[in-house]
Amino acid sequence: MIEGASYSDTFDSDDRVSCAVKGHEDFRSPSMLVRSQNGWGVSYTSTEICAIRGSTMDITCTYTYPSMLDHHVTTVQKNFWFIKESNGIHVDLKTDPEYSGRVEYLCENNKCTLRISNLRESDSAVYKFRFTTNQPTGSFTGSAGITLNVTDPQLQVHVRRSTANPYSTWTELTCHSRCQLPDHLSYVWYNNNEPVGQKKYFHLQHFNAEDSYHCAIEGHERFPSPTVYAPKPPSVSVSPSGEIMEGSSVTLTCSSDANPAANYTWYKENRTLLQGPEGVYRLSSISSGDRGVYSCKSENQYGRINSTSLHLDVQYAPKPPSVSVSPSGEIMEGSSVTLTCSSDANPAAIYTWYKEDEDSPKASGQIFTITNITAEHGGNYQCEAQNTRGRSKATLHLTVAAGKSVMIMNILRLTLVVVLVPVLVWTLWTRMKKTLSLKSEANEAVEMIESHNCPEYDDVAAAAQTEDTEEQEDLV
């Protein structure tokens, strides 16, 4: 901003300009006086300065005036600094009781310095310079003034790394204040609380993770900057603590002591999950697939470090079991069979085997073996997987085929029925036919004997009767 200047008190202003790089307005150039045509003006060395509480501060200006007006040589009769006006009268700081004994003017050759010692926060104000001359209306005030902020230094350490070479570890640290401090101040740098330098800038070839740095203004070491350092090993935690149930909400937190504050990255088994300044990773409805090993990384401008691993355990009821039979394929009677049941569960499942339509369990355990299997073992078998979080079931159908020995016996039985029975029937029929023929012949002989009344034929008849009886017994 450019302000006008004037010969009379009516125009108490001066023309001054300064410049700064956009985005870095804290580092403005000293102001310059743009003198008015009539030659009156006041130029301040800066527009705004900071001072440390308890220190001594110099505020300087340069003033100009015409050497002659209306054929009269101009001479300065009085010059002073002020911050107040009362009834149009500018109050000289030397007469202000708040500044009594703390103010000194150092003026010569159109340059005047205000020195204030033992600065207080209440000294923060806009300071202006005024001078009067022997000319009838020859007073002039540099109305823009200088803004003085009295405070603690509020120093910060800024870091800048080399960008020319990606492999370079060169680092520059700057001791920076929120407002512009006087150039004459000296700085002190500390590495792990030991002094190591006395410049505003401090250069490092390598920033070790275990190192810390801070700066202060010489003579005001009681107002150091915050210490900067690389992140310390992060701590990781899970909430809620204790057992985690599937479907619940879980929060993972990563925290690390670091200055500047660290940025965090969460990983699950080397897969990046989240990056940000909070270090918090939330799972709103955790599932069995979220089980695994988690870790985080803490990082700032000075270094990075990884946390220890966090194993996240998620408990859940058994998933539907998978069941299998071995050997696979056709199951023959007399063989051995192994039934296997497997279910994803946490805690690990307990297994129980049931056969359809039977209340009592057949076996317990993941493996159920049946030896010397028979047809009665066929049917549906049910495996139940159970833990403290629930249970789940699956069914297996077992079909048993006849064994080789049984098949042979069945073939033999069939052979007997198909072949031997007809033979047996034919044999019986043949014997019966023979018996009937013999019986008929014997009866004829008896009749002949009886008809002739021959006793010698009685023995023949009796023998035929006996033979007939034995043959009938054989047939039976």
Side-chain angles (χ1 to χ4, degrees):
M1 182 175 70
I2 301 176
E3 300 176 348
S6 173
Y7 165 71
S8 71
D9 289 341
T10 306
F11 302 96
D12 288 349
S13 61
D14 57 351
D15 301 345
R16 62 182 174 78
V17 294
S18 63
C19 64
V21 177
K22 186 176 181 180
H24 299 275
E25 288 79 3
D26 288 345
F27 300 100
R28 286 177 288 195
S29 70
S31 62
M32 297 180 61
L33 175 66
V34 180
R35 298 181 180 178
S36 59
Q37 292 182 355
N38 56 23
W40 297 86
V42 174
S43 174
Y44 299 104
T45 54
S46 59
T47 59
E48 182 177 354
I49 57 176
C50 287
I52 303 171
R53 186 159 43 94
S55 66
T56 298
M57 171 59 67
D58 288 350
I59 300 174
T60 302
C61 73
T62 301
Y63 58 95
T64 59
Y65 52 87
S67 60
M68 182 175 292
L69 279 175
D70 297 333
H71 308 289
H72 292 90
V73 176
T74 304
T75 59
V76 176
Q77 296 179 332
K78 183 178 182 180
N79 49 32
F80 62 94
W81 291 82
F82 70 94
I83 60 172
K84 301 175 183 177
E85 293 185 40
S86 178
N87 297 323
I89 299 175
H90 305 87
V91 180
D92 188 341
L93 280 179
K94 286 186 176 181
T95 65
D96 190 330
E98 293 184 11
Y99 290 86
S100 178
R102 298 191 298 122
V103 171
E104 182 181 3
Y105 298 157
L106 305 173
C107 301
E108 62 179 359
N109 299 327
N110 289 27
K111 185 176 182 180
C112 192
T113 298
L114 166 64
R115 178 170 292 171
I116 308 173
S117 60
N118 193 22
L119 282 167
R120 308 166 184 171
E121 289 188 14
S122 59
D123 294 337
S124 298
V126 177
Y127 291 80
K128 299 178 182 180
F129 178 76
R130 181 176 176 81
F131 67 95
T132 60
T133 67
N134 62 335
Q135 300 292 350
T137 54
S139 298
F140 191 87
T141 299
S143 59
I146 295 178
T147 300
L148 174 64
N149 294 311
V150 181
T151 182
D152 294 339
Q154 298 179 327
L155 301 174
Q156 295 287 338
V157 176
H158 289 187
V159 61
R160 184 169 66 92
R161 294 186 179 275
S162 172
T163 57
N165 183 353
Y167 301 102
S168 174
T169 58
W170 177 87
T171 303
E172 179 185 78
L173 305 181
T174 304
C175 195
H176 177 71
S177 176
R178 188 177 64 178
C179 57
Q180 186 175 357
L181 294 171
D183 293 334
H184 68 271
L185 294 178
S186 297
Y187 295 82
V188 182
W189 281 97
Y190 297 86
N191 172 216
N192 299 328
N193 295 319
E194 295 293 331
V196 290
Q198 290 184 312
K199 293 183 179 180
K200 186 174 183 178
Y201 303 95
F202 187 71
H203 296 101
L204 297 170
Q205 290 299 321
H206 182 73
F207 195 107
N208 296 316
E210 63 275 10
D211 286 341
S212 64
Y213 291 88
H214 73 273
C215 65
I217 295 174
E218 190 174 23
H220 302 277
E221 287 81 359
R222 68 186 184 279
F223 302 117
S225 72
T227 302
V228 297
Y229 47 91
K232 305 302 181 184
S235 63
V236 291
S237 62
V238 57
S239 177
S241 58
E243 295 180 348
I244 298 173
M245 272 291 296
E246 188 174 35
S248 62
S249 177
V250 175
T251 300
L252 305 181
T253 302
C254 180
S255 60
S256 174
D257 179 21
N259 192 34
N263 280 318
Y264 300 94
T265 305
W266 270 104
Y267 301 93
K268 181 188 178 187
E269 293 155 5
N270 298 322
R271 178 170 60 90
T272 301
L273 300 173
L274 178 73
Q275 291 178 317
E278 293 186 0
V280 176
Y281 180 62
R282 295 181 177 88
L283 299 112
S284 58
S285 180
I286 198 166
S287 67
S288 58
D290 293 319
R291 288 185 304 167
V293 178
Y294 291 76
S295 64
C296 75
K297 179 179 69 176
S298 174
E299 181 176 15
N300 68 6
Q301 298 96 312
Y302 303 103
R304 62 179 65 92
I305 189 169
N306 293 325
S307 71
T308 56
S309 297
L310 171 67
H311 181 74
L312 194 61
D313 189 36
V314 182
Q315 294 194 358
Y316 48 93
K319 307 299 181 183
S322 63
V323 289
S324 62
V325 59
S326 178
S328 59
E330 189 176 34
I331 301 171
M332 304 298 295
E333 282 188 320
S335 63
S336 294
V337 173
T338 299
L339 308 183
T340 303
C341 183
S342 179
S343 173
D344 180 18
N346 190 25
I350 297 173
Y351 300 91
T352 307
W353 290 92
Y354 296 88
K355 194 173 186 296
E356 62 177 346
D357 302 328
E358 294 184 13
D359 296 331
S360 299
K362 299 294 292 183
S364 61
Q366 194 170 0
I367 297 175
F368 174 30
T369 301
I370 305 173
T371 59
N372 195 23
I373 196 167
T374 65
E376 288 75 14
H377 288 111
N380 290 328
Y381 288 81
Q382 188 179 75
C383 169
E384 180 184 77
Q386 179 180 3
N387 66 7
T388 56
R389 301 303 179 186
R391 64 185 65 196
S392 187
K393 300 177 181 179
T395 300
L396 171 70
H397 183 75
L398 194 63
T399 302
V400 181
K404 291 182 179 180
S405 60
V406 175
M407 291 178 65
I408 293 172
M409 290 300 298
N410 289 339
I411 292 171
L412 291 175
R413 289 191 184 103
L414 183 61
T415 302
L416 288 173
V417 172
V418 174
V419 178
L420 296 182
V421 169
V423 172
L424 180 61
V425 171
W426 181 80
T427 301
L428 291 174
W429 180 80
T430 302
R431 286 191 176 187
M432 287 179 65
K433 184 177 179 182
K434 180 180 179 181
T435 301
L436 290 174
S437 176
L438 290 174
K439 185 175 181 181
S440 176
E441 291 177 357
N443 287 338
E444 289 178 359
V446 170
E447 289 177 356
M448 289 177 63
I449 293 170
E450 288 180 350
S451 64
H452 290 87
N453 294 319
C454 294
E456 59 270 18
Y457 289 97
D458 292 341
D459 295 335
V460 175
Q465 183 69 32
T466 301
E467 183 178 355
D468 184 32
T469 302
E470 290 178 353
E471 288 181 355
Q472 289 180 0
E473 289 177 352
D474 291 339
L475 289 174
V476 174

